[in-house]
Amino acid sequence: MRFVVFEGLDGSGKSSLMSTLEQELRSKKIQVLKTREPGGTPLGDEIRELILRSHGQAPTPRTELLLYEASRSQHVDLVIRPHLEKNFWVLCDRFTASSIAFQAGGREIAEEWVEKLNRFATQDLTPDLTVLLDLSVQESQRRRQKRESFSGKVADRMESEADHFHQKVRRSFLDQAHKNPHQWLILDASLELGILTAQLQNHLKGLQWLP
Ligand code: TMP
């Protein structure tokens, strides 16, 4: 049983890397759950919709933080902990580090508050490993625009923030990773998926989590 979180700017390739790890675990007959934040529960999905929509009244920074934390506590109580207790590996697209990066780093809410609310929402559950897919803001924007022109999907409220906001988010992710090198793995998200998959698998083998 392991709790592994994937973090990074939008377009950093979290979901592709999560899928390759999920397949690898399934091929080894390991039970695995892939989930995400905000969301991961029916109520969390509704909260996600409220946070990310670009129409209607935008939440203030504190309201935004509380909405992410509300989605998180529901997710931890009803999905993440029960699966860990059943010995599943849980792979989660974003978790507490995103609140530090976006709401403390980006929105400039005091980090102590975000940490306190993270602890309250998770009841002190922390990831065994957080994988940071580090990408430049320019490359993240370029990938997003490409995706938008393919799918016709428009940028959500967070994605529409200025470059300066995303620079602060990236810096916060890197600071968090450097402060906690044993719980974080930094990967260069500009590399190809095959290389990133091999780097992640080698790291997990080095930790003796994978045969
Ligand atoms: P996603 O696009 O990776 O699914 O994430 C949704 C957006 O929400 C993304 O722009 C990051 C942001 N976010 C926060 O600002 N704080 C959080 O705590 C989480 C989990 C996500």
Side-chain angles (χ1 to χ4, degrees), residues 2-172:
R2 300 285 172 193
F3 180 26
V4 184
V5 170
F6 292 75
E7 296 280 7
L9 295 181
D10 296 303
S12 55
K14 291 177 277 108
S15 49
S16 307
L17 189 60
M18 286 174 73
S19 295
T20 61
L21 178 59
E22 182 190 21
Q23 279 165 23
E24 168 75 11
L25 293 170
R26 287 196 198 286
S27 76
K28 293 182 167 16
K29 306 274 178 273
I30 296 171
Q31 290 187 301
V32 53
L33 172 80
K34 189 153 75 74
T35 186
R36 70 169 178 184
E37 288 202 354
T41 63
L43 180 60
D45 287 336
E46 291 186 57
I47 296 173
R48 180 185 176 90
E49 181 66 33
L50 285 177
I51 305 177
L52 296 180
R53 68 184 188 187
S54 300
H55 61 275
Q57 186 178 45
T60 66
R62 269 181 301 124
T63 308
E64 180 184 272
L65 171 62
L66 291 168
L67 288 170
Y68 281 113
E69 299 293 357
S71 164
R72 178 164 302 134
S73 55
Q74 189 80 355
H75 193 205
V76 167
D77 291 352
L78 300 186
V79 176
I80 300 180
R81 265 192 211 279
H83 278 83
L84 292 171
E85 279 160 10
K86 280 191 266 165
N87 252 339
F88 275 61
W89 277 54
V90 176
L91 311 183
C92 191
D93 189 336
R94 300 195 181 283
F95 196 58
T96 46
S98 271
S99 298
I100 303 277
F102 286 84
Q103 280 66 53
R107 300 272 188 239
E108 301 186 358
I109 294 178
E111 200 163 305
E112 300 93 274
W113 273 110
V114 181
E115 275 168 4
K116 265 188 217 161
L117 288 167
N118 275 343
R119 285 203 299 276
F120 182 61
T122 60
Q123 297 289 284
D124 293 322
L125 177 71
T126 53
D128 296 304
L129 177 70
T130 301
V131 179
L132 173 59
L133 282 155
D134 180 50
L135 194 65
S136 70
V137 172
Q138 294 92 309
E139 181 59 13
S140 155
Q141 305 280 31
R142 201 189 61 77
R143 290 185 184 185
R144 217 171 46 225
Q145 278 158 9
K146 200 168 148 199
R147 196 179 58 198
E148 281 164 25
S149 65
F150 266 116
S151 65
K153 173 189 170 282
V154 287
D156 65 39
R157 198 174 56 81
M158 301 301 286
E159 289 169 338
S160 308
E161 286 293 338
D163 280 10
H164 169 64
F165 175 87
H166 293 289
Q167 295 286 8
K168 290 190 285 184
V169 171
R170 182 187 188 199
R171 200 167 324 120
S172 167

